[in-house]
Amino acid sequence: MSRLGDLIRLERTRQGLTHKQVARKCGVSDKYLMEVEAGTRIIQDDQARRILKSMGLQQQTEADFTLEDIAATVDLQSAVPQLTKAVETKKPVKEKENVVAESDPGVSGSIWLDALSGVLKHVPIYNAVMKEVGHRLLPITNGKIEGASPDKVFYFMAPDNELRGFRVQRGDLLLVVPAQAAVDGAIMLIQTPQGRLLRKVKRVNDYQAMLQKYNESCESEIKNYNEITFVGRCVRLEADLG
């Protein structure tokens, strides 16, 4: 089944509409729509947008979650159980009420994205001075991203090659989850008077840790825990192979 077909099927099911009702709205045959949802017919992105818009997609909200974001990031088939559970708790929408009012305070995006917002999160990317320079769309599992609150995780862009020996190079993105204590063997983000740094951490004893960097050679320094402010633990690395 195609991902765009999944999106259309989820929204149609959410509204309680039949294939014929949706087909009539967007000017296609019900057979065509069934084949798109089944994944046996390829649908172009612009046609998918027209179908979704006919069911209430708000054009001005597309910047929140684009179809390209979702198709590139999320396996909608695995998300179906969570999406189904989310939409089952919502009041059914009658056919004549299928356009979402912009003034509705409970709507954070288009009508099918109301459900997706429970399983997707825009995770910000910060540079060395903690300025947001982009985002990644990540799935939420059981209310968490990598075991942490979705609002607490972020990507940090490596500012230099000081961890090149640990396979982290300038421009790479590291997903950071909150951690205020040393995690032995982990690459961690540390707050210093000069700014935030990435270091590999080794526990020395109950009150000291070794901070390592590795460019041309491995260098380390031992500091007391009361001298170190840990911001978070890096749990994922995204590198540009180009």
Side-chain angles (χ1 to χ4, degrees):
M1 186 176 290
S2 73
R3 294 181 179 184
L4 294 180
D6 287 338
L7 286 174
I8 293 170
R9 179 175 61 86
L10 286 168
E11 178 55 22
R12 181 184 61 77
T13 303
R14 174 178 176 167
Q15 293 193 38
L17 299 174
T18 66
H19 288 102
K20 285 188 177 181
Q21 287 173 319
V22 175
R24 188 169 63 249
K25 285 174 177 289
C26 57
V28 299
S29 69
D30 54 335
K31 179 182 178 182
Y32 172 84
L33 193 62
M34 286 188 283
E35 290 175 350
V36 167
E37 290 187 6
T40 58
R41 181 184 288 265
I42 297 174
I43 185 172
Q44 298 300 316
D45 184 85
D46 57 348
Q47 177 68 7
R49 287 183 184 276
R50 283 195 291 271
I51 294 174
L52 289 166
K53 187 174 182 179
S54 74
M55 290 189 283
L57 177 67
Q58 297 296 299
Q59 185 73 21
Q60 66 270 25
T61 65
E62 289 183 4
D64 293 333
F65 294 98
T66 67
L67 296 186
E68 291 85 356
D69 277 337
I70 296 165
T73 308
V74 179
D75 181 354
L76 287 170
Q77 281 297 96
S78 65
V80 166
Q82 296 180 64
L83 293 172
T84 303
K85 183 177 179 181
V87 301
E88 282 177 349
T89 64
K90 294 182 178 290
K91 181 180 178 181
V93 180
K94 296 179 182 179
E95 183 176 351
K96 65 180 181 180
E97 298 174 341
N98 66 349
V99 177
V100 180
E102 293 181 31
S103 59
D104 185 347
V107 176
S108 60
S110 64
I111 46 186
W112 51 272
L113 290 177
D114 289 342
L116 287 175
S117 64
V119 293
L120 296 175
K121 173 68 176 177
H122 272 140
V123 177
I125 300 171
Y126 295 117
N127 62 15
V129 295
M130 297 307 290
K131 177 181 178 181
E132 186 171 343
V133 294
H135 75 269
R136 287 285 190 275
L137 194 63
L138 295 184
I140 300 172
T141 304
N142 297 323
K144 305 284 187 180
I145 294 179
E146 296 290 347
S149 168
D151 293 328
K152 301 294 185 181
V153 302
F154 60 91
Y155 278 97
F156 184 76
M157 181 181 292
D160 49 45
N161 288 322
E162 289 189 339
L163 294 186
R164 185 168 59 178
F166 299 124
R167 299 184 297 176
V168 178
Q169 301 192 67
R170 182 172 55 204
D172 289 352
L173 303 180
L174 296 100
L175 182 63
V176 180
V177 301
Q180 284 72 51
V183 179
D184 191 42
I187 292 176
M188 302 192 70
L189 186 61
I190 299 169
Q191 182 67 53
T192 73
Q194 292 74 39
R196 294 191 170 186
L197 302 175
L198 292 167
R199 291 291 183 267
K200 189 165 186 177
V201 176
K202 293 284 189 180
R203 291 178 61 92
V204 176
N205 49 45
D206 290 339
Y207 55 90
Q208 289 180 316
M210 179 184 296
L211 307 181
Q212 296 180 313
K213 60 181 181 179
Y214 193 162
N215 190 348
E216 298 299 331
S217 60
C218 187
E219 302 176 33
S220 62
E221 59 178 335
I222 295 177
K223 286 185 171 290
N224 295 330
Y225 287 133
N226 60 10
E227 300 178 285
I228 310 171
T229 300
F230 293 105
V231 176
R233 175 172 60 96
C234 301
V235 297
R236 184 185 302 180
L237 172 67
E238 294 187 17
D240 185 359
L241 297 180

